[in-house]
Amino acid sequence: MAEVSLAGAPAFADPAAYVRAQGDGTAMLDLIVENIHCPACVPRIEGAVRDLPGVIEARVNLTTRRLHLAWRPGTTDALALVKAVTAKGYRLAPYDPLELARGADREGRYLLRALSVAGFAAANVMLLSVSVWSGLATDMGPATRMLFHWISAAIALPAIAYAGQPFFASALEALRAGRLNMEVPISLAVLLAAAMSLAETLRGGDYVYFDAAVMLLFFLLVGRYLDLRVRDKARSAAENLMLLRAVAAQVVAADGSRRALPIAEVEAGMRVFVAPGECIPVDGRILAGNSDIDTSLVTGESLPRAAGLGGEVFAGTLNLGGALEIEVGAAGESTVLADIVRLMENAGQVRGAHVRLAERAARIYAPGVHMVAAATFLGWFAFGGLGWQDSLLIAVSVLIITCPCALGLAVPAVQVAAVGRLLRRGVLVKSGDALERLAQADTVVFDKTGTLTTGQPRLTGGETIAEADLRLAASIAASSRHPLAQALCRAAGPGVAALPEVREEPGLGLAATVAGAEMRLGNRAWCGLDAADGETGGSELWLTGPGRAPLRFGFRDTLRPDAAAVVAWLKQRGLQVEILSGDRAPAVREVARALDIDRWSGECRPAGKIARLEALKAQGRRVLMAGDGLNDAPALAAAFVSVSPAQAADISRTAADMVIQGEGLAPLSEALRVARVARRLVLQNFGLALAYNILAVPFAAAGLVTPLIAALAMSASSLAVTLNALRLNAIQRNARP
Amino acid sequence: MTILGVLIPAALILGGIGLWAFLWSLKSGQFDDLEGAANRILFDDDDGPEES
């Protein structure tokens, strides 16, 4: 895979396109370091550039895996700096930080500020409340108590006004749309508690709930912040992946000079140069050059396709053979992509129907709480013989005690633990509800090329080929970047010297002079053989020379090393496994047989894949779709939950709920295991929260809950839920063999 | 009870300093890279900010 991924994402794109000039005459560049793994890499990378002349700042952020450079443009340039780091073996990709500085980061900071204010208020109000509570039992005078209540109000009310905004805004939005969400009872409880406490303070009463109101906000903001972290962490990792592929296009000017442009700025009609081994950045038509194009990401076909003058090429495919010049096609002109985008848009609407567990809980919970509180008020007012003020006091205490503190933490606490754990195991989960859906999947549909297989060919039947022939062929192949030639070299093993003066004819093959005779290595046409005589089961190379019989080397895509184990594991867990591939049927059948999968189909078009998913859905199945190609993207968007490998096409990684990194499929089974445990823990947490409410509500409705009890009950239930979520780590450790 | 007149403002001011310190560190990017910063103290060749 190493060669292919290197070829797909060159060591670095021309960074010049991403350099930002600053007002004070310095230049800045932000880069993603693809393969930074441990803290020891930080001084190595920074050391590589820090002492170069002109460098002002070089700082690695290990959390986001990004490198920030600032320098004086006259003394050095971006390319020199990037080369200094890549020379140490790190792969870099430039990016534009302004594009990324969007809502999530700001929201995170705002939540943290709100959280800190709520925390400050909760601690100080609690300090005063504890004095009041102990004062009620001992000898605190009413004047001191009044003073404490007033100070509490002075701290709590501004804090609530500031830190409660995220909830108030969301509740208001829901009410305007005529819905109830979790924020409605939260806002109501907080606002009513504050208002009632203020009224009690004015009236000189014994009980105020300022501490409960701010503590409620504090716990709920913790839940909110955790929820945001889940999304943010996975998102920034996913963005890194995405940007690694965002290679600048080499645009050719009218005078033949080339310059790098970010892909977003490439316009239709421009001429783009694509070197051999590079990813084709745009859709278009070939103006000059001949080459083989690896379209496996776009069509799922495992064999490269020859392309010449006037041929159409698509973004995301790999240029294997010769240098190409491409005229950029107008947006929407490319039928394949337009087709795929349209299918994806339709498919996305299906996905929207999933209701998150927390929302489902809120739908039952919010009306229930309001009804209980209203019944309490009416009960005390009509039959309990209390005035409306005291009845309202009790009703509000019901709202406070039932306020979904534990419910608000129940889901995010578990998801933070689960997503963080999966991230360390090489699985990026893009959203919390992806985990919920993954836990419910009962069918797994795999794409073949690039998902079950590595997308990299391997020599088959090598034992029937004489060692000398293999080494001869490998010595010719050694100078080529074509995947079949490289596979041949791998099969021959190390120690084969490349022949000098090997001629490469893009789309055909190689020729070299060995002992005075021309030897040819390439496809049938190149070697003067008939185009087709039956053999279609895989890709092939032929070796011919004067006075020797043509020799065939057959190649096949190899399975990922742990594909069989993962498929067996899935089946053992009772999941139904299927293959839907765009590749030819014989190739698919072979893989299906090797993995012992009964259900498979080949030559599926994107629409065909969706049709199959719809059929499965009609049977009531929840499908986990795993695929990597452009042709899989609509299916990934349409499936109940989806996953794609890190090497997948951009659009597929965007469409998928999860991205797995590494050579194997093992992270997939890990993700499934964690998702199921997480779901169990979330349900347990709901159970805990419910049990707590069932216990507490009768006391609250009976008017027995004092602020002290409310505060204790609230902290205890939140703590119980959080501790239960942390069990995720313990369970996983025991479950590992 | 007059001591309250000293103690309560003292508690609030101390708490307020803590809150301000947190907000300041948040604003100045102290939390941007939790993993990397934790390890920087261990680097031998890290000679701190430039002297010039």
Side-chain angles (χ1 to χ4, degrees):
Chain A
M1 205 62 230
E3 290 88 341
V4 170
S5 75
L6 264 181
F12 53 88
D14 184 351
Y18 293 89
V19 173
R20 285 160 298 132
Q22 299 298 297
D24 56 359
T26 60
M28 287 202 317
L29 178 64
D30 288 273
L31 299 137
I32 293 164
V33 190
E34 189 179 353
N35 50 349
I36 182 170
H37 294 301
C38 65
C41 296
V42 175
R44 235 176 278 155
I45 294 171
E46 291 181 354
V49 281
R50 178 176 289 160
D51 297 330
L52 295 180
V55 175
I56 300 166
E57 193 186 0
R59 194 167 176 93
V60 174
N61 184 329
L62 189 62
T63 313
T64 54
R65 301 186 169 189
R66 290 168 192 179
L67 167 66
H68 175 78
L69 293 173
W71 68 93
R72 279 179 277 275
T75 29
T76 184
D77 68 21
L79 200 60
L81 298 178
V82 169
K83 277 192 172 148
V85 178
T86 48
K88 298 258 174 185
Y90 294 100
R91 291 199 292 278
L92 296 178
Y95 76 98
D96 185 357
L98 299 177
E99 249 171 64
L100 296 186
R102 279 183 310 237
D105 194 35
R106 245 191 333 246
E107 195 190 341
R109 275 167 188 251
Y110 172 63
L111 277 182
L112 262 187
R113 278 202 303 273
L115 185 62
S116 60
V117 168
F120 165 80
N124 284 286
V125 173
M126 190 53 74
L127 210 67
L128 297 164
S129 293
V130 170
S131 326
V132 172
W133 295 334
S134 52
L136 287 174
T138 54
D139 59 348
M140 183 185 272
T144 318
R145 192 164 63 234
M146 273 275 280
L147 173 71
F148 278 28
H149 283 172
W150 275 113
I151 298 174
S152 299
I155 300 169
L157 292 177
I160 289 170
Y162 179 72
Q165 278 169 23
F167 302 101
F168 303 155
S170 166
L172 212 61
E173 204 176 294
L175 286 178
R176 273 206 198 113
R179 292 180 291 115
L180 279 181
N181 62 5
M182 205 66 114
E183 276 79 21
V184 175
I186 291 172
S187 305
L188 213 58
V190 170
L191 289 176
L192 276 176
M196 187 195 71
S197 303
L198 188 63
E200 281 292 287
T201 307
L202 285 170
R203 180 175 96 138
D206 284 346
Y207 295 131
V208 295
Y209 287 92
F210 288 122
D211 57 289
V214 283
M215 199 161 63
L216 203 63
L217 278 182
F218 178 67
F219 282 134
L220 289 167
L221 282 167
V222 170
R224 268 280 178 120
Y225 183 67
L226 289 181
D227 195 37
L228 184 86
R229 279 284 298 269
V230 172
R231 285 180 282 133
D232 206 36
K233 210 171 181 180
R235 187 189 49 89
S236 82
E239 269 171 1
N240 278 2
L241 270 179
M242 207 66 85
L243 291 163
L244 283 172
R245 286 301 177 98
V247 179
Q250 299 281 334
V251 173
V252 184
D255 62 354
S257 66
R258 293 183 206 143
R259 70 197 164 99
L261 267 190
I263 290 177
E265 290 172 29
V266 176
E267 287 166 15
M270 284 180 170
R271 292 160 69 101
V272 170
F273 173 81
V274 185
E278 271 187 3
C279 207
I280 295 176
V282 291
D283 290 353
R285 198 173 299 279
I286 298 177
L287 289 178
N290 266 315
S291 181
D292 282 331
I293 310 282
D294 177 356
T295 63
S296 61
L297 275 184
V298 177
T299 61
E301 246 174 279
S302 48
L303 297 187
R305 179 171 65 83
L309 194 66
E312 266 192 284
V313 291
F314 299 103
T317 57
L318 200 55
N319 176 20
L320 298 170
L324 290 179
E325 257 186 53
I326 296 167
E327 183 185 10
V328 182
E333 192 185 296
S334 62
T335 51
V336 173
L337 202 62
D339 230 29
I340 284 171
V341 167
R342 185 178 47 77
L343 281 171
M344 273 183 65
E345 278 169 1
N346 294 340
Q349 292 160 2
V350 180
R351 170 82 56 81
H354 175 77
V355 182
R356 303 204 332 173
L357 274 174
E359 274 169 48
R360 245 183 295 172
R363 278 184 198 174
I364 307 168
Y365 186 86
V369 166
H370 292 155
M371 261 160 9
V372 170
T376 307
F377 174 73
L378 288 177
W380 279 109
F381 186 58
F383 309 109
L386 288 183
W388 70 268
Q389 264 174 324
D390 287 323
S391 306
L392 189 64
L393 196 77
I394 295 173
V396 169
S397 78
V398 169
L399 269 186
I400 292 175
I401 204 95
T402 57
C403 193
C405 230
L407 274 183
L409 282 170
V411 179
V414 172
Q415 285 180 348
V416 151
V419 170
R421 179 177 191 88
L422 285 177
L423 201 60
R424 287 193 295 277
R425 295 281 167 92
V427 186
L428 314 178
V429 186
K430 291 211 211 131
S431 66
D433 61 317
L435 273 182
E436 289 178 14
R437 283 184 271 122
L438 180 61
Q440 293 172 276
D442 55 10
T443 306
V444 187
V445 174
F446 285 105
D447 169 49
K448 182 183 76 75
T449 318
T451 306
L452 285 172
T453 69
T454 57
Q456 186 184 29
R458 195 187 53 171
L459 183 67
T460 55
E463 59 282 350
T464 63
I465 296 167
E467 176 74 17
D469 289 340
L470 183 59
R471 291 181 73 87
L472 172 64
S475 66
I476 300 173
S479 63
S480 170
R481 291 190 68 166
H482 194 282
L484 292 185
Q486 289 184 344
L488 198 58
C489 294
R490 274 195 304 278
V496 177
L499 285 176
E501 293 180 30
V502 175
R503 187 159 55 88
E504 181 159 8
E505 203 63 49
L508 290 170
L510 304 160
T513 309
V514 181
E518 192 192 57
M519 303 292 294
R520 286 189 164 200
L521 180 73
N523 64 13
R524 284 165 186 267
W526 180 243
C527 296
L529 300 164
D530 289 336
D533 53 2
E535 188 65 55
T536 51
S539 37
E540 55 182 10
L541 281 179
W542 289 84
L543 179 68
T544 53
R548 54 181 298 156
L551 182 62
R552 177 179 181 274
F553 297 93
F555 296 91
R556 217 178 276 158
D557 199 4
T558 47
L559 288 173
R560 285 184 188 262
D562 54 358
V566 169
V567 168
W569 184 87
L570 290 171
K571 283 178 150 180
Q572 184 204 331
R573 287 292 176 110
L575 285 99
Q576 180 181 313
V577 182
E578 249 185 82
I579 301 180
L580 286 181
S581 174
D583 205 359
R584 290 156 307 112
V588 183
R589 183 181 335 124
E590 207 172 301
V591 167
R593 204 174 290 154
L595 294 174
D596 193 21
I597 296 172
D598 305 329
R599 298 158 198 262
W600 57 269
S601 39
E603 288 162 51
C604 290
R605 313 253 324 134
K609 292 195 178 193
I610 289 193
R612 178 66 192 140
L613 291 183
E614 291 293 328
L616 283 169
K617 194 177 160 200
Q619 293 170 21
R621 299 209 149 261
R622 293 176 162 153
V623 181
L624 162 61
M625 173 80 204
D628 71 320
L630 260 180
N631 61 334
D632 296 313
L636 289 170
F640 187 65
V641 56
S642 53
V643 57
S644 77
Q647 299 89 3
D650 291 347
I651 195 166
S652 302
R653 282 197 312 239
T654 315
D657 292 310
M658 276 166 292
V659 177
I660 55 174
Q661 292 172 304
E663 294 291 290
L665 285 174
L668 181 62
S669 51
E670 171 77 8
L672 208 60
R673 189 160 38 200
V674 169
R676 290 188 168 183
V677 175
R679 182 179 166 81
R680 203 167 64 229
L681 287 174
V682 164
L683 292 178
Q684 276 174 11
N685 275 351
F686 282 154
L688 277 174
L690 188 71
Y692 150 80
N693 273 330
I694 288 174
L695 273 176
V697 166
F699 288 100
L704 296 174
V705 169
T706 61
L708 172 62
I709 294 176
L712 283 179
M714 214 150 51
S715 337
S717 67
S718 296
L719 210 61
V721 163
T722 310
L723 289 177
N724 190 40
L726 290 179
R727 283 176 50 219
L728 186 88
N729 293 310
I731 287 173
Q732 280 300 304
R733 225 170 281 134
N734 297 339
R736 288 204 79 75
Chain B
M1 280 295 171
T2 46
I3 190 72
L4 283 178
V6 180
L7 286 180
I8 290 177
L12 286 178
I13 287 167
L14 287 176
I17 290 174
L19 179 64
W20 172 83
F22 177 76
L23 291 177
W24 169 82
S25 56
L26 188 65
K27 202 173 176 182
S28 66
Q30 304 291 320
F31 296 104
D32 284 356
D33 180 15
L34 296 176
E35 279 171 56
N39 287 291
R40 274 177 196 275
I41 193 166
L42 302 173
F43 303 157
D44 292 332
D45 52 353
D46 190 347
D47 39 23
E50 283 176 70
E51 309 280 295
S52 57

